[in-house]
Amino acid sequence: MVRRPDLGYSDEGLDFADPDSFARQRRPFGEARTFPRAAYRSMQFLYLEDEALWTRAWIPVGTVHEIPGEGDLLPFTLGYHGVHLQRMSGGTFEGRFNLAQHGGCRVVPTQCQQGKRTSCSFTSCGYSRDRGPMPAGEGHDDQRTMYQYVGLRPERLHPVQVARRGALLFLNIDPDPRQEPPAETMLPPLVSRPDATRVHGEWIEFEANWKFAGEALAAVDTVTDATDEGLRGMRETDDGSQLDIRWVFPNAVILSTRIDACVVVLQHTAIGQTMFRVEILSDRPMTEDRLAFWRGELSTAGARAKRAQAKIPTKAALDPADPAVLMPIQEDPAAWWFQNRLIDRFATMPRVESDIPIFRNVENYLI
């Protein structure tokens, strides 16, 4: 957690931790409203996501192909918590909290508490952007960088639970998770097939909240299956082909054709910015035509999410007062499924009671 949860999660007249605040979003599809605009601009909502989701759920962080060698390391910031995943001997994986959670700072600087990942010389800071996968033994500089994560005695670092489903890797920093990792049946066959390898990877950033980004990527024409763990549907592309779409809750979207699987792990880098961590898996070499197709799909989704974010005024004072304008009808079945799963997390998260007196303003006090 990054703040005192007993202070609550209220902003713009809404108590985000109260399920009744989302009664309109819980209605049947076709009647339900979208999230209020505060969900896409409020730091309090960001804090709640950290407490109820990123620190409590099984989070997809990447694929086994990103760290193929023993000792390779994959950093990933879960909410405001810097963790990493490392491949060990025998093809096993270990997850740990980073050695330096705040880059050596005695307290987290104010400029690092503004809901945006910052550039920092301490790459393991939970408030700074992740770097890419780190191969083991690439030279002295990389060894110094890896020390920021694992230190000299990685076995003494606080452990993080790891799960593998097909090619997807999951982390969960909750020491006693109440749910199992997503079932492998939610993944398309290509991701689970051992002969599929990484044929392309890149990171692309878009100016949109991560929820808008997921909804844009996972937009479907029809839903074929939906559980608490994930959603499956189909969408027809501009060239008439069919995409199999899997949304693995909360932040992985897998787009599949007969040849490729495009795995996109979403990571919020600011309230209004999302990184697409893209891995394309296939049993065939990548061609320019197929790469252009996937980049087109990703760019289209990113542009759609950016347009949605642009409609959100950055300040509540700029919003119209009409609730119907603030919360239009949710017309996307995948987005309706997702917002209900997220509200479920808010409703079932552990509650913290405290009788410790508060003697000063600690709205953003870190514990």
Side-chain angles (χ1 to χ4, degrees):
M1 64 182 67
V2 297
R3 63 188 298 281
R4 287 189 54 154
D6 56 309
L7 294 177
Y9 302 90
S10 298
D11 200 5
E12 301 186 27
L14 292 172
D15 180 359
F16 299 130
D18 183 358
D20 290 341
S21 297
F22 301 102
R24 295 183 178 182
Q25 288 73 32
R26 300 289 254 171
R27 293 173 181 172
F29 181 68
E31 301 177 17
R33 301 282 179 169
T34 63
F35 273 129
R37 290 180 173 180
Y40 304 101
R41 65 181 174 220
S42 170
M43 280 292 292
Q44 298 298 324
F45 200 89
L46 200 68
Y47 289 144
L48 178 59
E49 289 178 341
D50 182 64
E51 176 68 14
L53 182 67
W54 304 116
T55 61
R56 306 291 181 185
W58 287 97
I59 307 298
V61 298
T63 73
V64 296
H65 305 288
E66 295 179 78
I67 45 175
E70 181 179 335
D72 292 352
L73 184 141
L74 179 66
F76 198 96
T77 302
L78 291 175
Y80 284 99
H81 304 274
V83 301
H84 61 265
L85 180 66
Q86 189 170 33
R87 184 185 282 264
M88 310 304 290
S89 61
T92 60
F93 298 90
E94 288 187 6
R96 317 177 191 95
F97 276 77
N98 296 338
L99 172 69
Q101 282 295 295
H102 299 117
C105 301
R106 291 181 63 86
V107 296
V108 180
T110 300
Q111 66 267 24
C112 296
Q113 299 183 48
Q114 304 307 310
K116 184 171 184 177
R117 305 295 182 202
T118 59
S119 298
C120 180
S121 59
F122 292 92
T123 57
S124 64
C125 175
Y127 287 79
S128 59
R129 292 170 181 264
D130 291 329
R131 60 154 289 168
M134 192 180 308
E138 276 198 355
H140 181 62
D141 287 342
D142 277 342
Q143 291 302 313
R144 291 174 58 191
T145 303
M146 190 170 287
Y147 173 80
Q148 298 282 338
Y149 295 88
V150 302
L152 297 177
R153 300 292 297 273
E155 67 274 10
R156 293 187 176 181
L157 298 177
H158 190 70
V160 175
Q161 299 198 69
V162 180
R164 175 181 177 177
R165 294 294 184 267
L168 271 183
L169 295 169
F170 296 78
L171 292 178
N172 191 333
I173 67 175
D174 190 338
D176 187 22
R178 291 166 293 165
Q179 294 182 331
E180 294 295 319
E184 195 161 313
T185 54
M186 289 308 302
L187 307 180
L190 188 62
V191 176
S192 303
R193 203 163 64 209
D195 55 348
T197 60
R198 179 182 189 266
V199 295
H200 181 76
E202 62 181 295
W203 289 10
I204 314 171
E205 193 168 30
F206 294 99
E207 295 179 357
N209 184 274
W210 76 277
K211 296 183 286 295
F212 279 144
E215 293 169 6
L217 269 175
V220 298
D221 297 330
T222 57
V223 173
T224 57
D225 186 25
T227 68
D228 289 343
E229 301 171 340
L231 173 139
R232 179 183 180 184
M234 303 293 295
R235 181 174 78 230
E236 185 174 315
T237 64
D238 292 339
D239 63 5
S241 60
Q242 290 287 325
L243 274 183
D244 180 282
I245 299 173
R246 316 282 177 110
W247 192 343
V248 183
F249 187 82
N251 66 313
V253 179
I254 307 171
L255 313 173
S256 301
T257 65
R258 293 181 296 104
I259 301 174
D260 305 324
C262 181
V263 181
V264 184
V265 172
L266 303 172
Q267 186 172 36
H268 68 82
T269 52
I271 295 178
Q273 287 181 201
T274 303
M275 186 73 74
F276 287 17
R277 298 170 60 138
V278 181
E279 296 286 307
I280 302 179
L281 310 181
S282 181
D283 55 1
R284 306 181 192 180
M286 177 56 68
T287 64
E288 291 185 5
D289 288 346
R290 282 165 41 221
L291 183 56
F293 166 80
W294 285 118
R295 283 177 169 166
E297 287 293 317
L298 297 173
S299 296
T300 298
R304 186 185 304 122
K306 184 177 179 179
R307 288 193 297 271
Q309 186 69 41
K311 295 178 181 178
I312 305 296
T314 56
K315 296 182 179 179
L318 301 177
D319 255 349
D322 183 359
V325 176
L326 296 180
M327 296 182 290
I329 295 294
Q330 179 57 267
E331 298 177 345
D332 187 323
W336 176 79
W337 165 84
F338 169 74
Q339 68 184 34
N340 276 276
R341 300 290 74 73
L342 187 55
I343 295 168
D344 285 342
R345 292 289 179 172
F346 298 161
T348 59
M349 73 175 186
R351 305 291 168 167
V352 177
E353 303 294 338
S354 175
D355 57 1
I356 299 175
I358 301 175
F359 297 108
R360 58 189 178 132
N361 183 0
V362 292
E363 180 179 359
N364 293 317
Y365 178 70
L366 303 177
I367 60 176

